[in-house]
Amino acid sequence: MNYNHCFVRLQYNQFSYKSAREELTGLSDHSICDWASFCREVLVEWCVKREGKIGGPGKIVEIDESKFGRRKYNVGRLVEGQWVFGGICRQTRAVFLVPVEKRDRETLLNVIKERVEPGTTIISDCWRAYNCLEEEGYRHLTVNHSINFVDPNTHAHTNTIERLWREAKRKVPLFGRRKKHFVGYLAKTMFVMTFPNSNERFHHFLVEAAALYNPQQPQQS
């Protein structure tokens, strides 16, 4: 079996248990679940290594929250969506995506302080949780989406992160999604957006896998 071929065929927007079952013929259900878990682990580790602050003086970061999935009845039970808080730097295209349980001031401000450099110009909508940003060392511009998509006075807009949400939601699975794996879904999304070319993506996946599971170093039990 050519596993390189299988991996390229199983690009993220196609990856599911069903497609893996079709491509990785001859493997047990348990082996396919292990493969999916391995991929998530490698990509989450890749994201962790890239964690850091984006923006800085003279740079603009757009921030926003968006819900992945929606509340609906499915086979007699209520399925909850997942809120994600994100930011993107216009100049560098650096991105962060963080699943959050609340959208209150404390939760979002903690993420901003961890992921956005002081002195950054932050553009957001008029969600009240952001009202404190000027006090925290950021320049803060807003756009009232109930009136305009672009503020007529400051020309502030959040079009860049709105495009990011559209792209990210196309890559997160719609069905069979488990909340405990959501960090892994976002890690895969960021990996695919960083390396849109499948050959380059496969190369970087192997590099990250080798770094995480170095064959020259004994693995701890």
Side-chain angles (χ1 to χ4, degrees), residues 18 24 40 49 61 68 79 93-94 96-97 115 119 136-137 150 183 189 193 206-207 215 220:
K18 180 177 182 296
L24 303 177
R40 281 195 301 270
K49 291 196 299 187
V61 170
F68 283 60
V79 178
R93 314 303 291 181
F96 68 82
L97 298 174
R115 304 307 303 270
E136 300 293 338
V150 179
V183 170
T189 297
M193 290 193 297
L206 294 180
V207 169
Q220 296 180 350

Side-chain angles (χ1 to χ4, degrees), residues 52-69:
K53 294 185 177 182
I54 67 175
K59 292 185 171 61
I60 297 172
V61 170
E62 298 178 22
I63 61 173
D64 192 24
E65 335 87 55
S66 186
K67 195 169 191 179
F68 283 60

Side-chain angles (χ1 to χ4, degrees), residues 86-153:
I88 181 169
C89 179
R90 286 186 186 172
Q91 288 79 7
T92 66
R93 314 303 291 181
V95 169
F96 68 82
L97 298 174
V98 180
V100 293
E101 295 303 316
K102 298 179 180 179
R103 296 186 299 143
D104 59 359
R105 170 176 169 166
E106 181 180 3
T107 300
L108 300 185
L109 182 58
N110 283 340
V111 177
I112 291 169
K113 286 182 174 181
E114 289 177 359
R115 304 307 303 270
V116 183
E117 291 281 3
T120 300
T121 296
I122 294 179
I123 300 179
S124 73
D125 59 19
C126 294
W127 179 237
R128 61 183 179 274
Y130 302 135
N131 291 344
C132 61
L133 290 181
E134 291 279 354
E135 304 167 8
E136 300 293 338
Y138 301 99
R139 180 173 181 244
H140 186 209
L141 302 178
T142 61
V143 54
N144 188 337
H145 287 148
S146 64
I147 301 175
N148 302 295
F149 288 109
V150 179
D151 187 275
N153 298 317

Side-chain angles (χ1 to χ4, degrees), residues 1 3 20-29 31-32:
M1 182 188 301
Y3 286 98
R21 185 84 225 133
E22 292 171 351
E23 292 293 337
L24 303 177
T25 56
L27 294 183
S28 67
D29 293 351
S31 296
I32 292 177

